[in-house]
Amino acid sequence: MNQELVPLISRQEIAKTVARLARELDQDYRDRTPVVLGVLKGSFVFMSDLIRQMQTPIRTVEFIRLSSYGSSTVSSGEVTMSIHLSPDAIAQQDVILVEDIVDTGRSTSRAIAALSAYQPASLKLCSLLDKPDRRRIPVTIDYLGLTIPDRFIVGYGIDFDEQYRQLGGIYAFANEPAPPIAS
Ligand code: PRP
């Protein structure tokens, strides 16, 4: 599909934001070796930049897979999750959960509930973006990059129907696709 894209957040602003988040994490984790756990697929670009900015030694890098949007631009409300994690990777560890964006909060709250059951020593959330206007489930973002308006966005790991993840900046659609009729 060929959507007309409108720049929303530049590569430079993203880099500055990621560096600031890495400094905050370094400050708070300076005596610890955290597990950094990304939520696939969207967080993979952010997480790879974030860990390379961090000075704190990382114990392990882990991933879980969550999916809520399918091929639509609005959350379906259904979150499917597959965790290929050994409980030992999380238990008694300081875990930093990394998200690209918190939107309705459904994915993140589901992830936090699942990971909490593994009894980490601590569990904190680091999200590059927050879209608070669309929140349905309260989520505390411990390390937040930027708050954005209620626009559908792509780039820097974030997709529309699996496209646009490779863009270095973050863009909105000039003509936002109409959301499907809610059932
Ligand atoms: C996106 C994003 C978050 C989630 C946020 O993932 O990466 O995980 O949606 O939305 P929510 O707060 O409404 O739950 P998506 O389900 O699109 O899967 P993807 O990361 O594989 O693209």
Side-chain angles (χ1 to χ4, degrees):
M1 64 176 298
N2 288 314
Q3 286 282 346
E4 189 185 337
L5 300 178
V6 182
L8 204 62
I9 309 171
S10 68
R11 284 173 185 258
Q12 291 76 13
E13 190 174 358
I14 293 170
K16 207 171 74 179
T17 303
V18 173
R20 191 248 304 159
L21 289 170
R23 280 198 306 274
E24 290 177 17
L25 290 165
D26 283 340
Q27 177 79 21
D28 291 356
Y29 287 85
R30 62 177 172 269
D31 299 322
R32 294 180 281 173
T33 50
V35 171
V36 180
L37 190 155
V39 179
L40 294 173
K41 296 180 188 174
S43 72
F44 80 105
V45 177
F46 169 46
M47 183 158 142
S48 70
D49 282 347
L50 182 69
I51 62 171
R52 285 179 293 170
Q53 290 288 323
M54 288 174 69
Q55 304 292 316
T56 306
I58 291 167
R59 183 176 300 273
T60 64
V61 167
E62 307 284 347
F63 291 96
I64 59 173
R65 173 94 174 98
L66 294 176
S67 191
S68 63
Y69 284 3
S71 61
S72 165
T73 54
V74 291
S75 175
S76 64
E78 297 291 322
V79 179
T80 58
M81 176 164 56
S82 49
I83 299 186
H84 305 290
L85 269 183
S86 158
D88 292 345
I90 302 302
Q92 310 309 319
Q93 302 301 329
D94 293 304
V95 178
I96 303 169
L97 178 63
V98 177
E99 268 284 21
D100 49 330
I101 183 167
V102 179
D103 188 333
T104 65
R106 289 189 177 101
S107 305
T108 311
S109 60
R110 177 91 195 274
I112 289 171
L115 295 169
S116 297
Y118 291 172
Q119 300 190 311
S122 66
L123 177 58
K124 298 289 183 185
L125 172 64
C126 175
S127 182
L128 178 65
L129 303 173
D130 183 19
K131 204 192 274 185
D133 292 348
R134 288 180 34 85
R135 193 76 88 255
R136 295 291 175 274
I137 299 179
V139 169
T140 300
I141 304 175
D142 303 289
Y143 302 90
L144 171 63
L146 300 164
T147 298
I148 60 167
D150 186 8
R151 300 284 305 272
F152 190 80
I153 55 162
V154 294
Y156 200 66
I158 299 170
D159 74 312
F160 175 67
D161 208 6
E162 295 300 328
Q163 304 300 299
Y164 306 112
R165 292 194 200 272
Q166 73 202 76
L167 299 177
I170 292 175
Y171 298 80
F173 288 158
N175 302 300
E176 197 152 314
I181 297 165
S183 56

